[in-house]
Amino acid sequence: MANAKVIQAKQAAVDVVTSKLRESATTVVADYRGLNVAQVTELRKQLREAGVEFQVLKNTLVRRATAAAELTELDEVLTGPTAIAFSVEDAVAPAKILNDFAKKNDALKVKGGVVEGRVVGADQIKALAELPSREGLLSMLLSVLQAPVRNFALAVKAVAEKEEGAASA
């Protein structure tokens, strides 16, 4: 018979994973089978630097958490060795890092995930990975916002130069 403390510890672990699934902007599920220790260490380092939490979890534990978080569609990809990347702040970071790492290491396979509370497939995770980073998007936005001001300044300068040329002639 299972010990009450063991059951309580497992329930606490399910509760932690459930809260991570609910709070994460993006959760990516991957199969890491075939990666060696050095490769997993490098992947963890890249994810940690981006503020992404990466864990290897038992599928039964994650299935219980998906049921509690009402994300049972994710259960389809919970087969074989499963590693999960949780990102609270940057929705693109885990997808981008895992996708880039998978391109260099054939052993890593992105299986699917959750983006903004919606279960998505591996193709959608890869599409998300192709988006620019948050910083890239912010710089694009800044460039778009500066363009009208820059164009106005150039037009004023051109008018001033034209009037100077007309006045000196």
Side-chain angles (χ1 to χ4, degrees), residues 20-146:
K20 286 180 184 178
L21 284 169
R22 288 182 178 150
E23 295 166 5
S24 293
T26 302
T27 302
V28 179
V29 179
D31 182 346
Y32 63 95
R33 188 180 4 208
L35 292 178
N36 63 35
V37 174
Q39 290 169 320
V40 172
T41 303
E42 176 60 27
L43 177 59
R44 284 181 185 271
K45 179 179 174 260
Q46 290 177 21
L47 290 165
R48 188 173 37 252
E49 288 171 355
V52 178
E53 187 176 346
F54 186 70
Q55 293 182 318
V56 174
L57 297 167
K58 291 188 177 213
N59 291 330
T60 54
L61 183 138
V62 179
R63 281 191 191 99
R64 289 184 180 165
T66 59
E70 299 176 1
L71 296 167
T72 53
E73 302 91 22
L74 191 62
D75 291 353
E76 296 173 17
V77 298
L78 298 175
T79 57
T82 301
I84 303 179
F86 298 100
S87 178
V88 176
E89 294 177 13
D90 191 349
V92 179
K96 186 176 284 299
I97 293 168
L98 287 169
N99 191 50
D100 291 348
F101 198 85
K103 286 178 184 175
K104 297 173 192 160
N105 301 282
D106 293 337
L108 183 70
K109 304 280 187 257
V110 174
K111 298 196 275 187
V114 180
V115 178
E116 298 294 335
R118 199 171 59 99
V119 176
V120 296
D123 293 340
Q124 291 161 313
I125 294 291
K126 288 177 184 171
L128 178 64
E130 301 301 322
L131 290 175
S133 67
R134 183 176 187 274
E135 290 77 20
L137 289 171
L138 288 174
S139 69
M140 285 180 201
L141 176 64
L142 184 61
S143 175
V144 168
L145 292 175
Q146 286 178 337

